[in-house]
């Protein structure tokens, strides 16, 4: 178990290291910090002197070492546009993105578990066939079209829901606010959350269904039936527990994937989160902000994946701890 | 492929007698989906001949014709049966060309994925040992970052580096490269799994005893036996690549509006949906969903018929 832990942590470190190198090369090649600072009117000698002074003519490794040293201390440079530390700008937007991921996760759990179990228990019923059919269609609709469809129906035609924005937020501290604690905020959260959930929902229904059907074929379930236990106990106490193991692993990894799809969801709904900010930063060529986003999102992916692997290793004793 | 002529006379007969053809004849959904897909493919290939207008030719576009509704609506113009977009282009022609662009990118990207995945998967499975664990570790890590994330970041950085104008000229190549490179592990893992199973069989031993080289055994002996999983993933992967391309174009990181794919067409119409011009978004959207849906259904059907051992996880 200890070797497994070390191996996983080592892998996470290697991946973070690769991400930092990529981020640094982006910062190194994209945009010229001097032009941002000085403008056009400065002579060539002054520029060169300035480059030397700032260490921009140092060898690659020296510059990378400096970048890494600062990054470890949380200094990822100053955003050209906001004139604030890039990391602060990103972290201020993080709650908005996490709200979306949280809302979507909640919707996925509430819908996928009962629908998946139902269609596994009654695979031949008409309702199950409808569920499976709709989930195939769901997989085939790109997320931005779901968003547009929801906006068109619920915001434009029916006028029940706001079409964009985050609404009123509740300030917890100066840099931390949440839309989860105001009625207006929750109202704004509904459509984007459903949109984000729509990508993963079909996937989870299918996964829960196939895992549950596999479990229901196993010996211990037949034995449970033979003992005369009530169907409810067999399905939920015996079968469901073993269904959840693979679902949790996939689920953990998909939380990372959802962060990627927040970029699309946030763009359509103009939700002021990290993804929206990132696309704006790209259009403004705001290099420090792009780099900061890359590092924050990379860290989220690495941390969730490592945690999921470790938890799975602890929960499921049959997993091969020496790695594949 | 020089072994082909010997079996050629019986190939058609063998195909007609196969399990594959029999299940296809019985399955209405598969026939329907195959029909729609072939139709889309033909329309895409012959778009320049079928389309009444050339959407890339600015001389044929009149801004006075912009945002005309489809011809069955009251204000429609019989000349443009699906209406026009915000620039005054005929929507039907633009959709035909857009389907062409989307399918081209989807198919080319998947060919690149398959090419990389087959070589890496064969190498990992056949050579084994250190090579195998290193390659599969890389595949794990790459898969743990979602394709969408990687694609968005890579394209965004290139767009910022090249500037929008140069980027738009290179957009198609960039999309194919990014979607192609980001998804190779899907193929590599599946092929590796079937290679591991095939490697133990006698025909491989026989080939080795006869003194054939590693490359010859990998490509000429093992690869043909891993074709059914490749066929199954390819269908679904093309569908996914088309969705990925559409999403990237929607974000403004893909095809420019002057040479729209289905995704950028939908994106350009999104601004006008609030003013009531629904057709610019809805009609290409329906085409996109129909295209992806039939490919997913075909993929499901192929999986049931060929029933390969796919990588689970």
């Amino acid at each position: 178990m200890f070797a497994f832990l070390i191996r996983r942590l080592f892998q996470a470190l290697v991946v973070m290291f690769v991400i930092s190198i990529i981020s640094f090369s982006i910062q190194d090649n994209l945009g010229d910090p001097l032009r941002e600072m000085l403008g056009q009117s400065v002579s060539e000698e002054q520029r060169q002197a300035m480059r030397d002074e700032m260490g921009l003519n140092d060898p690659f490794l020296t510059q990378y070492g400096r970048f890494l040293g600062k990054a470890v201390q949380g200094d990822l440079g100053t955003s050209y546009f906001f004139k604030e530390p890039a990391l602060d700008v990103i972290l201020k937007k993080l709650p908005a993105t996490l709200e979306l991921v949280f809302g979507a996760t909640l919707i996925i759990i509430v819908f996928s578990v009962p629908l998946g179990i139902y269609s596994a228990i009654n695979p031949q019923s008409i309702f199950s066939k409808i569920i499976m059919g709709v989930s195939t269609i769901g997989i085939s609709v790109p997320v931005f079209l779901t968003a547009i469809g929801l906006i068109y129906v619920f915001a434009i035609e029916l006028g029940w829901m706001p079409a964009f924005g985050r609404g009123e937020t509740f300030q917890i501290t100066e840099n931390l606010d949440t839309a989860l604690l105001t009625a207006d905020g929750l109202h704004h959260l509904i459509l984007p959350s459903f949109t984000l959930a729509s990508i993963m929902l079909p996937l989870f229904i299918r996964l829960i269904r196939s895992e549950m059907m596999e479990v229901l074929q196993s010996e211990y379930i037949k034995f449970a039936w033979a003992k005369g236990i009530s169907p409810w106990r067999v399905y939920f106490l015996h079968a469901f527990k073993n269904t959840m193991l693979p679902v949790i692993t996939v689920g953990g990894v998909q939380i990372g994937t959802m962060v990627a799809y927040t970029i699309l969801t946030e763009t359509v709904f103009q939700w002021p989160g990290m993804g929206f900010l990132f696309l704006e930063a790209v259009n403004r060529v705001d290099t420090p902000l792009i780099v900061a986003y890359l590092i924050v999102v990379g860290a989220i992916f690495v941390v969730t994946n490592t945690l999921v692997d470790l938890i799975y290793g602890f929960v499921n004793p049959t997993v091969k701890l020496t790695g594949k | 492929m020089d072994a082909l002529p010997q079996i050629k006379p019986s190939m058609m007969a063998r195909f007609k007698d196969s399990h594959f053809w029999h299940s296809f004849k019985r399955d209405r959904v598969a026939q329907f989906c195959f029909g729609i897909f072939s139709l889309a493919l033909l329309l895409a290939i012959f778009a320049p001949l079928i389309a009444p207008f050339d959407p890339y030719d600015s001389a044929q576009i009149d801004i006075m014709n912009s945002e005309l509704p489809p011809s069955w609506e009251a204000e429609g113009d019989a000349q443009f049966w699906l209406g026009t977009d915000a620039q005054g282009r005929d929507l039907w022609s633009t959709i035909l060309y857009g389907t062409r662009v989307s399918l081209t990118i989807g198919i080319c990207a998947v060919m690149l994925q398959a090419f990389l995945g087959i070589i890496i998967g064969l190498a990992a499975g056949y050579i084994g040992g250190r090579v195998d664990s290193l390659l599969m570790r890389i595949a794990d890590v790459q898969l743990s970052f979602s394709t969408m994330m990687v694609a968005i970041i890579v394209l965004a950085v290139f767009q910022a580096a090249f500037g929008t104008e140069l980027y738009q000229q290179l957009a198609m190549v960039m999309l194919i490269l990014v979607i192609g490179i980001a998804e190779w592990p899907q193929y590599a893992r599946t092929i590796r799994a079937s290679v591991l199973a095939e490697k133990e069989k006698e025909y491989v031993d026989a080939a080795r005893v006869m003194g054939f080289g590693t490359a010859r055994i990998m490509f000429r002996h093992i690869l043909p036996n891993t074709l059914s999983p490749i066929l199954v993933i390819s269908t679904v992967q093309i569908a996914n690549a088309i969705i990925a391309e559409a999403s990237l174009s929607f974000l403004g990181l893909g095809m420019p509006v002057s040479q729209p794919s289905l995704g950028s067409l939908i994106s350009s119409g999104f601004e006008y949906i609030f003013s009531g011009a629904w057709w610019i978004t809805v009609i290409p959207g329906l085409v996109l969903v129909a295209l992806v849906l039939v490919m997913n259904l075909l993929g499901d059907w192929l999986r049931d018929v060929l029933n390969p051992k796919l990588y689970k996880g």
Side-chain angles (χ1 to χ4, degrees):
Chain A
M1 177 45 89
F2 188 67
F4 176 68
L5 191 89
I6 296 294
R7 188 190 289 263
R8 271 289 173 252
L9 290 180
F10 178 70
Q11 188 185 328
L13 277 180
V14 170
V15 174
M16 269 328 279
F17 176 70
V18 173
I19 292 175
S20 76
I21 289 186
I22 294 172
S23 312
F24 176 69
S25 348
I26 291 172
Q27 187 167 41
D28 204 31
N29 292 314
L30 196 61
D32 182 1
L34 278 183
R35 202 181 52 206
E36 301 290 334
M37 288 164 60
L38 299 174
Q40 301 293 335
S41 61
V42 184
S43 76
E44 191 54 39
E45 288 102 63
Q46 278 172 305
R47 262 173 208 280
Q48 277 308 326
M50 195 77 180
R51 287 187 79 86
D52 278 334
E53 196 180 313
M54 289 174 65
L56 292 173
N57 289 334
D58 289 352
F60 182 84
L61 275 180
T62 321
Q63 289 197 50
Y64 173 68
R66 206 180 300 136
F67 168 81
L68 199 63
K70 280 186 182 170
V72 170
Q73 293 164 32
D75 178 5
L76 295 173
T78 307
S79 159
Y80 298 151
F81 181 78
F82 292 96
K83 312 284 180 216
E84 279 175 58
L87 194 63
D88 288 2
V89 178
I90 293 277
L91 291 181
K92 226 184 277 178
K93 302 282 184 180
L94 184 62
T97 297
L98 290 184
E99 274 164 15
L100 269 186
V101 173
F102 173 76
T105 312
L106 208 66
I107 293 169
I108 290 173
I109 294 172
V110 167
F111 284 93
S112 69
V113 171
L115 292 178
I117 292 180
Y118 177 84
S119 57
I121 296 175
N122 311 303
Q124 296 304 326
S125 89
I126 294 174
F127 187 54
S128 299
K129 288 193 173 139
I130 294 175
I131 295 174
M132 296 316 289
V134 171
S135 74
T136 308
I137 297 175
I139 288 178
S140 309
V141 183
V143 58
F144 61 93
L145 272 184
T146 318
I148 293 174
L150 288 176
I151 291 182
Y152 191 71
V153 174
F154 291 101
I156 298 178
E157 291 294 318
L158 297 172
W160 292 351
M161 298 285 172
F164 56 85
R166 193 171 167 220
E168 257 177 67
T169 56
F170 183 81
Q171 289 287 336
I172 298 175
T173 64
E174 197 194 329
N175 280 335
L176 186 64
D177 59 350
T178 173
L180 293 173
L181 293 174
T182 61
D184 190 44
L186 284 175
H187 196 201
H188 279 80
L189 189 61
I190 294 174
L191 286 188
S193 301
F194 268 98
T195 305
L196 191 56
S198 71
I199 317 161
M200 303 287 165
L201 197 53
L203 222 77
F204 274 85
I205 293 178
R206 282 165 161 236
L207 181 70
I208 292 178
R209 175 178 176 269
S210 65
E211 290 295 335
M212 183 93 171
M213 282 171 95
E214 213 175 301
V215 170
L216 287 178
Q217 296 298 318
S218 59
E219 296 287 319
Y220 80 95
I221 294 294
K222 286 180 192 154
F223 182 64
W225 285 120
K227 279 204 297 185
I229 300 176
S230 72
W232 192 86
R233 277 183 71 91
V234 175
Y235 289 137
F236 292 94
L237 234 66
H238 294 257
F240 184 59
K241 262 191 203 165
N242 277 319
T243 306
M244 285 324 277
L245 209 56
V247 175
I248 288 170
T249 342
V250 177
V253 176
Q254 297 297 355
I255 287 185
T257 312
M258 270 211 269
V259 174
Y261 283 96
T262 53
I263 300 183
L264 279 162
T265 320
E266 285 173 8
T267 308
V268 184
F269 288 99
Q270 298 182 22
W271 186 264
M274 285 198 305
F276 193 49
L277 182 76
F278 172 69
L279 280 188
E280 282 180 330
V282 168
N283 288 332
R284 295 180 188 126
V285 200
D286 193 340
T287 318
L289 213 51
I290 296 176
V291 169
Y293 179 79
L294 205 66
I295 289 184
V296 169
V297 168
I300 292 178
F301 269 88
V302 171
V303 169
T304 44
N305 282 314
T306 311
L307 276 182
V308 166
D309 272 0
L310 291 180
I311 290 173
Y312 195 64
F314 280 114
V315 174
N316 184 2
T318 58
V319 73
K320 275 190 263 165
L321 295 183
T322 46
K324 275 166 238 171
Chain B
M1 283 288 159
D2 47 17
L4 261 176
Q6 295 157 6
I7 22 170
K8 214 174 186 178
S10 65
M11 241 172 79
M12 200 59 211
R14 272 176 51 188
F15 178 71
K16 274 198 165 164
D17 201 31
S18 65
H19 173 55
F20 186 81
W21 178 246
H22 278 289
S23 359
F24 184 75
K25 271 197 300 192
R26 257 181 291 131
D27 195 324
R28 284 279 161 77
V29 178
Q31 289 166 11
F32 179 74
C33 290
F34 186 73
I36 299 277
F37 177 63
S38 317
L39 181 71
L41 214 53
L42 286 176
L43 287 178
I45 292 170
F46 296 110
L49 300 177
I50 301 164
F53 297 89
D54 181 0
Y56 299 164
D57 180 7
S58 54
Q60 292 186 18
I61 302 170
D62 187 354
I63 195 75
M64 293 308 285
N65 288 332
S66 67
E67 289 180 66
L68 287 175
S71 54
W72 61 84
E73 300 253 321
E75 295 145 48
D77 185 329
Q79 208 186 345
F80 311 104
W81 75 280
L82 289 179
T84 59
D85 74 353
Q87 298 180 22
R89 289 183 296 205
D90 174 41
L91 199 56
W92 165 238
S93 310
T94 318
I95 286 177
L96 284 175
Y97 276 80
T99 314
R100 187 182 162 98
V101 172
S102 291
L103 274 172
T104 310
I105 294 176
I107 291 172
C108 289
V110 170
M111 273 160 59
L112 182 59
Q113 287 171 18
F115 176 73
L116 291 173
I118 286 172
I119 290 180
I120 295 174
L122 275 176
Y126 191 72
I127 299 169
R130 286 245 169 105
V131 179
D132 181 30
S133 50
L134 178 70
L135 289 174
M136 286 303 110
R137 195 73 328 159
I138 296 175
D140 278 349
V141 170
Q142 193 169 340
L143 272 190
S144 73
F145 290 86
S146 97
T147 311
M148 209 55 205
M149 193 83 240
V150 176
I152 290 174
I153 288 176
V154 172
L155 291 178
V157 167
F158 272 103
Q159 193 183 44
F162 289 170
T164 316
E165 220 154 278
L166 178 61
Y167 180 83
Q168 290 193 340
Q169 290 169 12
L170 296 173
M172 195 187 252
V173 180
M174 290 301 299
L175 284 165
I176 292 174
L177 284 179
V178 165
I179 301 173
I181 293 171
E183 289 261 306
W184 66 266
Q186 301 282 5
Y187 277 92
R189 284 176 149 196
T190 313
I191 288 165
R192 172 181 171 269
S194 18
V195 170
L196 287 182
E198 292 295 325
K199 194 165 89 166
E200 305 302 323
K201 293 189 180 162
E202 271 123 17
Y203 74 90
V204 177
D205 286 337
R208 210 176 290 142
V209 170
M210 285 163 82
F212 292 148
T214 310
R216 190 183 162 108
I217 298 180
M218 285 195 326
F219 288 98
R220 291 282 296 278
H221 296 254
I222 297 183
L223 183 61
N225 286 300
T226 59
L227 281 182
S228 55
I230 294 180
L231 193 60
V232 174
I233 1 179
S234 297
T235 341
V236 180
Q237 286 297 98
I238 294 179
N240 287 343
I242 291 176
I243 289 196
E245 186 279 323
S247 307
L248 292 166
S249 293
F250 183 79
L251 288 178
L253 298 171
M255 296 305 291
V257 191
S258 56
Q259 255 186 317
S261 68
L262 290 175
S264 29
L265 196 56
I266 296 167
S267 169
S268 73
F270 179 51
E271 294 167 46
Y272 300 93
I273 199 171
F274 292 98
S275 58
W278 53 268
W279 56 92
I280 312 174
T281 311
V282 174
I283 300 176
L286 287 176
V287 173
L288 179 67
V289 172
L291 191 60
V292 174
L293 183 64
V294 295
M295 303 214 62
N296 276 330
L297 288 172
L298 273 180
D300 279 356
W301 174 76
L302 277 176
R303 176 172 326 186
D304 290 343
V305 172
L306 300 175
N307 193 21
K309 290 191 173 47
L310 288 181
Y311 186 92
K312 197 182 163 196

